[in-house]
């Protein structure tokens, strides 16, 4: 279940547009998105904790490490032994208990937009933008092999930091993924993005 929810979120923006924003962005919204792009593009590394909550209230926590361009590691807390790792050549789902791994091509994974040298949300299929006093939500939608998926990316207006995203599946099931205790531009050991070559390939 952990793997399925996370990989659905990663696959979101890779397919043809399902719909488009039915209005023009306001100048204020465009400016805010430009500032979000610039702010996040300037961040080279991020580390912190995450909380994943599904529709049924199931909660899973863990730690994450991001080094741009192209590297990411999400490590789920025990009793899970799964990790999601990218070393710039695809995303690998690692099971440390079974010592197995299987891969998703990097060009099919939309999280790459936050791993590239330059982040550009305007290149995604934006279907809605909602602003409150403290946050701005940029909602993205696309067709995928399992149907139309939507993700609402939530940014803090003052800091421009990504705080949360909510994934909505075609069935209506939702997954909320929140980031906290985040530090940026810190040194991350190279070993954190290592994939053990002795792990056996596994089909999905």
């Amino acid at each position: 279940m952990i793997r399925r929810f996370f990989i659905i979120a990663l696959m979101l923006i890779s397919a043809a547009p399902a719909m488009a924003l039915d209005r023009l962005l306001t100048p204020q919204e465009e400016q805010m998105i430009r500032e979000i792009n610039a702010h996040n593009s300037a961040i080279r590394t991020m580390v912190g904790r995450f909380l994943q909550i599904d529709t049924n209230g199931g909660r899973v926590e863990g730690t994450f490490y991001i080094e741009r361009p192209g590297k990411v590691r999400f490590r789920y807390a025990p009793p899970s032994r799964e990790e999601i790792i990218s070393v710039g050549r695809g995303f690998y789902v690692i099971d440390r208990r079974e010592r197995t791994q299987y891969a998703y091509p990097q060009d099919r994974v939309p999280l790459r937009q936050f791993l590239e040298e330059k982040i550009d949300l305007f290149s995604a299929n934006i279907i809605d933008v909602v602003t409150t006093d403290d946050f701005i939500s940029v909602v993205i939608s696309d067709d995928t092999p399992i149907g139309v998926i939507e993700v609402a990316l939530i940014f803090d207006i003052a800091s421009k930091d990504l705080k949360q995203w909510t994934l909505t599946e075609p069935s209506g099931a939702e997954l909320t993924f929140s980031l906290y205790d985040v530090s940026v531009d810190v040194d991350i050991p190279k070993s954190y993005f290592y994939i053990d070559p002795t792990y056996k390939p596994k089909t999905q």
Side-chain angles (χ1 to χ4, degrees):
M1 182 64 70
I2 292 172
R3 179 197 310 130
R4 174 175 173 271
F5 272 131
F6 191 90
I7 292 301
I8 288 173
L10 294 181
M11 290 177 64
L12 171 64
I13 311 173
S14 59
M19 60 188 76
L21 186 66
D22 60 1
R23 62 176 177 83
L24 295 176
L25 293 173
T26 68
Q28 293 80 9
E29 290 169 339
E30 289 188 356
Q31 179 60 28
M32 180 59 63
I33 294 174
R34 281 194 290 269
E35 292 177 6
I36 287 170
N37 287 340
H39 170 76
N40 287 279
S41 292
I43 295 173
R44 310 317 303 171
T45 64
M46 294 176 62
V47 300
R49 300 180 181 275
F50 66 85
L51 172 63
Q52 181 178 287
I53 303 176
D54 64 32
T55 296
N56 298 321
R59 300 163 66 92
V60 184
E61 297 184 79
T63 54
F64 74 90
Y65 309 86
I66 294 174
E67 180 178 311
R68 302 178 51 250
K71 297 178 181 179
V72 65
R73 178 183 184 181
F74 282 79
R75 182 167 187 163
Y76 289 89
S80 173
R81 299 295 299 276
E82 289 189 330
E83 298 183 24
I84 311 294
I85 300 177
S86 172
V87 292
R89 300 187 303 275
F91 279 78
Y92 293 81
V93 179
I94 305 297
D95 189 314
R96 301 192 312 279
R97 179 179 292 107
E98 297 181 0
R99 297 185 61 82
T100 60
Q101 55 88 5
Y102 65 90
Y104 288 81
Q106 191 92 351
D107 61 2
R108 294 183 57 197
V109 178
L111 188 59
R112 70 184 185 276
Q113 294 196 357
F114 276 86
L115 299 177
E116 293 176 349
E117 287 285 351
K118 183 177 181 181
I119 295 170
D120 182 12
L121 291 178
F122 291 118
S123 67
N125 184 40
I126 297 174
I127 65 167
D128 198 11
V129 176
V130 179
T131 304
T132 68
D133 290 342
D134 299 316
F135 299 99
I136 180 170
S137 170
V138 181
V139 184
I140 297 166
S141 176
D142 274 294
D143 286 328
T144 75
I146 67 167
V148 176
I149 300 290
E150 293 184 7
V151 166
L153 302 166
I154 312 298
F155 298 90
D156 181 274
I157 287 179
S159 68
K160 312 303 184 296
D161 291 333
L162 178 65
K163 294 295 186 180
Q164 176 180 293
W165 68 78
T166 296
L167 167 83
T168 303
E169 294 190 57
S171 66
E174 292 186 350
L175 177 75
T176 297
F177 191 95
S178 301
L179 308 180
Y180 62 100
D181 291 347
V182 176
S183 299
V184 302
D185 295 330
V186 298
D187 291 333
I188 302 175
K190 292 183 178 180
S191 61
Y192 280 38
F193 305 110
Y194 173 76
I195 298 175
D196 191 326
T198 67
Y199 279 28
K200 296 180 181 180
K202 180 179 179 180
T203 58
Q204 183 178 357

